[in-house]
Amino acid sequence: MIDIDLKFHQWQWQYQISTTFFVCVIVPSLYYIYSKYITNLPNKYNKLEEPIKLMIPIPPEAKKNWKGRRLYPLSIRSTDPTQIQSFCPATGQYLGTFHAQTKDEMNETIQKAKEAQKQWAKSSFIVRRKLLKTLNRFILDNQEDITRIACRDSGKTKLDAMMGEIFVTLEKINWIINHGEQTLRPSKRYGPSNLLLGMMKNAEVRYEPLGVVAALVSWNYPFHNLIGPILAALFTGNSIVVKCSEQVIWSSKWFVDMIKTVLKLLDLNEDLVQLVVCFPEDADYFTSHPDLSHITFIGSKPIAHKVLESASKELIPCVVELGGKDAFIVLDDVKNLNDLSSIIMRGTYQSSGQNCIGIERVICLPKSYEKLVEILSERVKTLRLGSDIDQLDEIDMGAMISNNRFERLQELVDDAVKNGARLLHGGKPYQHPNYPQGSYFEPTLLVDVTPQMQIFHEEVFGPILTMIKATDIDDAVELANGCEFGLGNSVFGADFSVINDIANRLDSGNVALNDFATYYVAQLPFGGVKKSGYGKFGGEEGLIGLCKVKSVVMDKPLLRLLGVATSIPPVLDYPIKDDKKAWGFITSLNIVGYDFRIWNVIKGFKKLARGGR
Ligand SMILES: *[C@@H]1O[C@H](CO)[C@@H](O)[C@H](O)[C@H]1NC(C)=O
């Protein structure tokens, strides 16, 4: 009895010691390591940045089972030429009519943004983070409503929106909260390389707001594409005017109003964020406005030509993010082709294929090719089209933004089939029994595609999966590089060194190894090469791209302390008194500064000390 009691006592004692150790040492250390090295959350618990609670009423159209009338015929043009109509592409339901702005009205929005920015440029990172943290909280608390608003205007499924709109936006907000300030702090640089001058000078690069920046964003991610540039602009101290696509005005307006409400509740100027709505033919005025200091353009190549031409009139710098013809290379040693087929399906049919980094070409080595064609031909058939915006239906693929490009998609399929491709599924528009006005295109599987077909080269931006057979690795690389685009590619294989080598040979802005699109994360710069555009958004490069990069050189602190000022040496001062001495002085300065042969340096010093003689 006593023995047992003693043991129990001992056990309890040890238990208390280990618990205390765990709570006092292990937990704080783990937290320290986590916060410092893993997430680097310097200000997570800074009281001054505490997000505020807010309620913003959700519009009736964004409610579940909203009964909106169906529009017929489906068109953004209304009877009044100054108005643009919004509708849900999945159901044809009418969402509203919006006034297309005139040039004067556009100018007014830009002037408001310009005025508001003056104060905002001086705001602290604490205020800017508080703004982002409040938005972060609002998005987290209203995920479903925001998702439904994006779906209503784009026709995509709620799951597609959750992954492509909400997740990536939260990722971006949190990266900026955690790392934005660190990126924008002055960056210390080396002073001059000349030994003598380098001893006297310090140098740094400072990042200052540009002023009013603009973003012209595409409709495929109405929430993420719109809010991404706004977050980056506000955090860098700029104000921003966003021109949304005329396809998604209803949701864009709500999202911009939501940010304005947050600004107002935080006692900040709501004019910092402006929305421009206009017809494409009036966009020239906007993109050549002298008060814009930067343009981010997300869209297609033909429009990019117009934007750049117009922006060049005022020398407005642009980042252009255009389409891609992304390759998905599969080597023969990939083990689980079933799992791989899931990635291919998600990467192709997500948002009905309307993705700038969607999989446009699956390039396989022969053994994988045969097996993947077999697996995919079974799986693509099972995809269900429709809308889950109102009820939680088991739907795999939603609508496309409109039926404008159905004809072109069919032409591309027909051209491929005429040139020897096999159409295993789909290839035409789909009339949905429940949503006859919806813009649906059948999930399409096209195999045996070759570079002789138009579809090999032209961006599809739709739900068409194309399979291309490569003879070997060199052939696969050549095929992948054999188009005018270069946005993002994926490579799959069992041997890492082999796929890593392929990554180095691919002509593209981004590569994912044994994965798809994972480079689209907030900490990395995103953008393409070749005809996919230029410039980067996202990551440190994206934030810095929205700043005036100012190089500043100053005397070293010790010199400032001693009151030593650098000045022109008398021998070089106007008027030159002795040309020979001046010449000797300047050549010696070069020798002392840049020659590594010690005797020359000593001789150079001597000559300098003699004033160049
Ligand atoms: C915009 O409006 C301002 C003030 O009303 C005016 O001075 C300026 O010329 C206008 N700019 C353009 C490009 O129309």
Side-chain angles (χ1 to χ4, degrees), residues 103-104 107-108 111 285 288-291:
K103 292 175 182 172
D104 281 344
N107 188 20
E108 206 175 301
Q111 299 312 322
Y285 171 81
S288 61
H289 197 288
D291 288 326

Side-chain angles (χ1 to χ4, degrees), residues 39-77:
T39 59
N40 198 350
L41 306 173
N43 293 294
K44 184 136 195 173
Y45 295 105
N46 190 333
K47 277 272 171 281
L48 293 170
E49 298 173 12
E50 198 62 32
I52 60 162
K53 247 205 221 113
L54 63 150
M55 281 280 298
I56 301 177
I58 302 297
E61 296 87 345
K63 300 261 163 65
K64 219 166 159 173
N65 295 318
W66 167 68
K67 299 271 177 282
R69 73 177 165 92
R70 295 182 182 192
L71 196 61
Y72 188 83
L74 266 195
S75 169
I76 60 162
R77 304 265 168 178

Side-chain angles (χ1 to χ4, degrees), residues 216-270:
L216 283 78
V217 295
S218 59
W219 42 259
N220 55 335
Y221 287 94
F223 180 61
H224 178 67
N225 284 352
L226 178 96
I227 198 171
I230 294 178
L231 298 170
L234 292 180
F235 196 79
T236 44
N238 296 296
S239 61
I240 181 165
V241 186
V242 189
K243 186 202 158 295
C244 68
S245 157
E246 53 287 359
Q247 304 282 357
V248 290
I249 299 173
W250 174 74
S251 58
S252 302
K253 190 163 180 323
W254 195 84
F255 293 138
V256 166
D257 284 345
M258 167 196 107
I259 297 173
K260 281 175 173 285
T261 309
V262 174
L263 285 167
K264 222 167 22 187
L265 285 171
L266 289 170
D267 265 338
L268 301 170
N269 195 335
E270 59 173 324

Side-chain angles (χ1 to χ4, degrees), residues 145-278:
D145 291 324
I146 293 174
T147 302
R148 200 176 283 111
I149 292 172
C151 292
R152 217 39 115 198
D153 221 353
S154 64
K156 65 178 74 178
T157 68
K158 274 165 67 195
L159 209 58
D160 281 353
M162 198 49 106
M163 292 199 271
E165 308 266 18
I166 309 286
F167 171 78
V168 284
T169 302
L170 291 171
E171 174 69 24
K172 183 160 185 130
I173 295 185
N174 282 276
W175 180 80
I176 299 178
I177 290 172
N178 296 335
H179 302 281
E181 179 175 357
Q182 184 185 319
T183 304
L184 296 175
R185 271 189 214 134
S187 148
K188 296 266 180 262
R189 302 296 168 94
Y190 290 112
S193 301
N194 186 297
L195 193 67
L196 272 182
L197 298 177
M199 281 181 339
M200 293 189 268
K201 299 289 180 185
N202 273 351
E204 68 182 34
V205 177
R206 295 177 191 164
Y207 305 107
E208 297 169 359
L210 283 171
V212 187
V213 299
L216 283 78
V217 295
S218 59
W219 42 259
N220 55 335
Y221 287 94
F223 180 61
H224 178 67
N225 284 352
L226 178 96
I227 198 171
I230 294 178
L231 298 170
L234 292 180
F235 196 79
T236 44
N238 296 296
S239 61
I240 181 165
V241 186
V242 189
K243 186 202 158 295
C244 68
S245 157
E246 53 287 359
Q247 304 282 357
V248 290
I249 299 173
W250 174 74
S251 58
S252 302
K253 190 163 180 323
W254 195 84
F255 293 138
V256 166
D257 284 345
M258 167 196 107
I259 297 173
K260 281 175 173 285
T261 309
V262 174
L263 285 167
K264 222 167 22 187
L265 285 171
L266 289 170
D267 265 338
L268 301 170
N269 195 335
E270 59 173 324
D271 284 345
L272 285 168
V273 178
Q274 300 289 342
L275 183 70
V276 156
V277 170
C278 70

